[in-house]
């Protein structure tokens, strides 16, 4: 086996009902991987034992004593629930028994636990959450999506460096273009943090495109879009709300009367193609960048397909040495990244 991934089977809206079959499906498609499934014994141990015969030597179970709930505070997750499935999955990365961890649980708790257990890489002031959004040209990585509400210019530079290496590792694109999210393309636009970040990005050896606006994200103007966590989280939640509204509108309009229902049947191939092209499940799995280990955050409402994609993203990042690449780059870039 060339890779071991720890799975928090208890996290998310659906828990083992999604995470366990998704994990087994991933193993079927990746014969080189091994999984450690972490969860409450009464919830998954019997099912894991049954599945072990299908994957000899590739599937093991780690018992957890508790679960971090979606409503639990960060303090509770860190100080009280030290035997949670989320904490144990990250601990396996820290000990070297796994090369990556995947969880669909509480985002704030996962980031806090991961930062506390794994620590940040030298040269990285703050970890960031990076996520791929579908665009007219494929997909664009956007970060930060909520880990850092307030950022300094050097933090945005560090985010750009980490996302560049993420795309090189996972998407095999060595010099992706980087855009800085702003209220206009001109250098004079934006607040002082964004203006100074633009200067740092210009002076770097990154493939910096310049400022981009909100509509550039879905145009696919750049491969990477950098912003602070406040803006990024609002952007993400707005995008999710818009997607839900459009899907609801389509269902309502095609269901208004028999004639429109018939038109919907005729349009079904195009609608299915549209749904597949824009399907957010294909892009599931946000990377917690800047840590001394790989941690992937799945969407809490992910189904089996989406959660399996998050596991695949973790495997790709680990196999392509994402942490080592970031560490090596920050060592070379230390004076500049430190501001």
């Amino acid at each position: 086996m060339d890779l071991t991934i720890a799975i928090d089977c208890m996290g998310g809206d659906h828990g083992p009902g999604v995470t366990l079959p998704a994990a087994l499906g991933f193993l079927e498609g990746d014969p080189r991987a091994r999984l450690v499934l972490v969860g409450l014994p009464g919830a998954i141990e019997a099912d894991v034992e049954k599945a072990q015969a299908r994957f000899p030597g590739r599937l093991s179970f780690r018992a957890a004593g508790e679960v971090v709930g979606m409503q639990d505070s960060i303090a509770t997750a860190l100080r009280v629930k030290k035997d949670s499935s989320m904490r144990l999955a990250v601990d396996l990365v820290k000990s070297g028994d796994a090369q990556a961890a995947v969880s669909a649980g509480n985002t704030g708790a996962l980031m806090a636990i991961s930062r506390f257990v794994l620590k940040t890489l030298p040269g990285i002031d703050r970890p960031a959450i990076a996520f791929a959004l579908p665009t007219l040209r494929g997909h664009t990585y956007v970060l930060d999506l909520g880990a850092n509400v307030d950022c300094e210019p050097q933090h945005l530079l560090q985010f750009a460096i980490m996302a560049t290496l993420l795309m090189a590792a996972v998407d095999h694109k060595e010099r992706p273009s980087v855009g800085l999210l702003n209220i206009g393309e001109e250098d004079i636009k934006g607040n002082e943090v964004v203006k100074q970040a633009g200067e740092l990005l210009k002076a770097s050896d990154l493939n910096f495109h310049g400022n981009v606006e909100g509509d550039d994200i879905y145009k696919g103007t750049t491969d990477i879009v950098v912003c602070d966590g406040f803006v990024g989280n609002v952007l993400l939640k707005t995008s999710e709300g818009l997607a839900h509204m459009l899907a609801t509108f389509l269902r309502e309009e095609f269901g208004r009367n028999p004639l429109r229902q018939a038109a919907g049947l005729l349009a079904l191939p195009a609608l299915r193609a549209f749904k597949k092209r824009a399907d957010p499940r294909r892009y599931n799995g946000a990377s917690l960048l800047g840590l001394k280990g790989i941690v992937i955050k799945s969407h809490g409402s992910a189904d089996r397909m989406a959660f399996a994609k998050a596991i695949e993203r973790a495997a790709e990042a680990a196999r392509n040495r994402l942490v080592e690449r970031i560490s090596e780059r920050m060592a070379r870039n230390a004076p500049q990244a430190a501001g």
Side-chain angles (χ1 to χ4, degrees), residues 178-203 208-213:
V178 177
L180 179 63
L181 191 59
N182 204 342
I183 58 173
E185 296 181 358
E186 302 85 354
D187 291 343
I188 62 171
K189 293 288 184 68
N191 57 34
E192 287 304 312
V193 170
V194 171
K195 290 177 184 177
Q196 292 176 32
E199 294 301 317
L200 291 177
L201 286 162
K202 282 181 186 177
F208 182 50
H209 169 87
N211 291 333
V212 294
E213 298 181 74

Side-chain angles (χ1 to χ4, degrees), residues 14 47 64 67 88 109 136 169 171 173 186 204 211 216 219 270 277 281 284 286-287 299 306 308 312 316 324:
H14 309 296
D47 290 327
V67 175
L88 294 182
L136 292 174
D171 297 274
K173 190 167 187 176
E186 302 85 354
S204 74
N211 291 333
D216 285 304
K219 289 178 184 177
R277 189 174 179 185
R281 298 179 301 172
N284 186 47
S287 301
H299 199 290
E312 290 173 12
E316 193 74 9
E324 291 82 0

Side-chain angles (χ1 to χ4, degrees), residues 93-325:
V93 178
K94 172 68 174 180
S95 67
D97 293 315
Q99 285 72 58
V102 181
S103 175
N106 183 316
T107 303
L110 182 62
M111 174 58 87
I113 288 172
S114 300
R115 188 171 185 178
F116 176 77
V117 172
L118 299 174
K119 312 304 182 188
T120 55
L121 289 166
I124 299 295
D125 296 321
R126 302 178 183 180
I129 302 173
F131 188 73
L133 293 175
T135 71
L136 292 174
R137 299 181 180 180
H139 61 266
T140 292
Y141 284 96
V142 182
L143 73 166
D144 177 36
L145 291 181
N148 305 282
V149 174
D150 297 306
C151 293
E152 297 298 325
Q154 66 268 22
H155 300 147
L156 298 179
L157 171 62
Q158 291 170 14
F159 297 168
I161 293 171
M162 292 191 293
T164 293
L165 297 172
L166 171 66
M167 200 158 197
V170 175
D171 297 274
H172 311 291
K173 190 167 187 176
E174 290 300 325
R175 277 188 61 78
S177 56
V178 177
L180 179 63
L181 191 59
N182 204 342
I183 58 173
E185 296 181 358
E186 302 85 354
D187 291 343
I188 62 171
K189 293 288 184 68
N191 57 34
E192 287 304 312
V193 170
V194 171
K195 290 177 184 177
Q196 292 176 32
E199 294 301 317
L200 291 177
L201 286 162
K202 282 181 186 177
S204 74
D205 60 354
L206 299 174
N207 183 14
F208 182 50
H209 169 87
N211 291 333
V212 294
E213 298 181 74
D215 60 340
D216 285 304
I217 295 173
Y218 291 104
K219 289 178 184 177
T221 301
T222 58
D223 299 307
I224 295 163
V225 173
V226 175
C227 58
D228 66 50
F230 183 92
V231 171
N233 193 263
V234 171
L235 161 69
L236 179 64
K237 297 299 173 57
T238 302
S239 300
E240 290 175 346
L242 175 62
H244 177 73
M245 182 189 74
L246 293 176
T248 301
F249 281 178
L250 281 172
R251 286 194 299 269
E252 290 177 349
E253 294 305 323
F254 277 118
R256 285 197 183 278
N257 55 55
L259 183 60
R260 289 194 179 185
Q261 290 174 5
L265 289 175
L266 291 174
L268 198 56
L271 290 171
R272 284 175 175 168
F274 168 78
K275 182 179 179 181
K276 181 178 180 181
R277 189 174 179 185
D279 192 346
R281 298 179 301 172
R282 297 170 54 206
Y283 306 96
N284 186 47
S287 301
L288 275 54
L289 297 176
L291 301 168
K292 294 180 181 178
I294 293 169
V295 179
I296 300 295
K297 169 65 175 72
S298 166
H299 199 290
S301 63
D303 62 9
R304 297 179 186 182
M305 172 187 168
F307 195 78
K309 288 293 183 182
I311 303 175
E312 290 173 12
R313 187 171 294 277
E316 193 74 9
R319 285 185 171 128
N320 287 283
R321 302 176 58 255
L322 175 60
V323 172
E324 291 82 0
R325 288 186 184 209

Side-chain angles (χ1 to χ4, degrees), residues 66-83:
E66 51 204 343
V67 175
V68 173
M70 299 302 281
Q71 303 304 319
D72 281 338
S73 68
I74 290 176
T76 297
L78 272 176
R79 300 171 190 168
V80 179
K81 296 189 173 182
K82 297 181 180 180
D83 193 38

